[in-house]
Amino acid sequence: DTGVSQNPRHKITKRGQNVTFRCDPISEHNRLYWYRQTLGQGPEFLTYFQNEAQLEKSRLLSDRFSAERPKGSFSTLEIQRTEQGDSAMYLCASSLYPGSAETQYFGPGTRLLVL
Amino acid sequence: QKEVEQNSGPLSVPEGAIASLNCTYSDRGSQSFFWYRQYSGKSPELIMFIYSNGDKEDGRFTAQLNKASQYVSLLIRDSQPSDSATYLCAVNPPTGGFKTIFGAGTRLFVKA
């Protein structure tokens, strides 16, 4: 399968715990994006990378959130001291820049539930 | 004002009819516009993108862009029950980088 993959697909954690999600983009894609989506809303931009460089980060992203893409391939998103409001679907997408219409291809998402 | 606005619906159309989905955006300098389809519990998948004013057709789908009115629409001809999903409008504003802004989506139901 050459699509975007995300692990785990589901995560249940207790408030205050740290969680880490992984995204493996399409192999030739140099841009990687993280979004958060809650029920009834569209995906909300969190951050994006071009290769290993984090080029933009939403001001909505608190200091508890951090993302890395150390070798320009896979990426991790960590949430420290989780809160119930962090419960959402976390989506990863990748694209090839410059390329076809900045088309972003989404992974299946990681659904997080904070109890 | 939200940056990208869509009617949340639900929009209900009979099978075989034309479904019309609308989107407005606030940043007049926005350059690229996308329509994604999202089935319940799944991730978004790209249907079409459009850059220039006018119409762009791809199979049963037509995207329409009017930059003067800051308006994007998606027409689905010969709607099928399998088209029932949430349709997300997305915009890349001209602020540098590629911070795509999504609308909240319109739920479409196609009745058999």
Side-chain angles (χ1 to χ4, degrees), chain A residues 31 33 35 37 40-43 45 48 56 58-59 89 91 97 100-104 106-109 111, chain B residues 2 32 34 36 38 41-46 49 51 88 92 95-105:
Chain A
R31 287 197 167 180
Y33 307 79
Y35 294 89
Q37 187 175 25
Q41 299 299 314
F45 172 84
Y48 93 98
E56 191 164 349
S58 170
R59 65 179 184 273
M89 173 77 87
L91 293 164
Y97 176 81
S100 176
E102 309 149 22
T103 301
Q104 294 182 34
F106 283 84
R111 189 173 294 280
Chain B
K2 291 183 180 179
S32 46
F34 306 83
Y36 285 83
Q38 187 172 28
K42 302 295 184 182
S43 58
E45 56 179 324
L46 182 73
F49 62 88
Y51 292 139
L88 299 165
N92 277 2
T95 52
F98 289 92
K99 179 185 169 183
T100 302
I101 307 297
F102 284 81

Side-chain angles (χ1 to χ4, degrees), chain A residues 82-99:
Chain A
T82 53
E83 301 173 356
Q84 289 183 327
D86 297 331
S87 297
M89 173 77 87
Y90 289 84
L91 293 164
C92 174
S94 70
S95 69
L96 179 62
Y97 176 81

Side-chain angles (χ1 to χ4, degrees), chain A residues 2-105:
Chain A
T2 58
V4 179
S5 62
Q6 293 185 246
N7 288 288
R9 295 291 305 278
H10 303 273
K11 179 70 177 178
I12 301 174
T13 191
K14 293 182 179 179
R15 189 175 53 188
Q17 298 295 305
N18 299 343
V19 294
T20 300
F21 309 142
R22 176 176 169 130
C23 172
D24 287 87
I26 293 172
S27 59
E28 65 268 26
H29 284 185
N30 52 1
R31 287 197 167 180
L32 186 149
Y33 307 79
W34 284 100
Y35 294 89
R36 176 173 63 190
Q37 187 175 25
T38 54
L39 195 63
Q41 299 299 314
E44 176 188 21
F45 172 84
L46 295 178
T47 189
Y48 93 98
F49 295 83
Q50 180 161 319
N51 299 312
E52 67 277 7
Q54 188 173 18
L55 296 187
E56 191 164 349
K57 184 176 177 179
S58 170
R59 65 179 184 273
L60 301 175
L61 211 62
S62 77
D63 291 342
R64 296 185 297 107
F65 288 72
S66 62
E68 294 183 339
R69 194 184 184 197
K71 297 182 180 180
S73 56
F74 72 92
S75 175
T76 58
L77 177 69
E78 181 182 18
I79 309 174
Q80 296 181 327
R81 305 181 302 283
T82 53
E83 301 173 356
Q84 289 183 327
D86 297 331
S87 297
M89 173 77 87
Y90 289 84
L91 293 164
C92 174
S94 70
S95 69
L96 179 62
Y97 176 81
S100 176
E102 309 149 22
T103 301
Q104 294 182 34
Y105 295 88

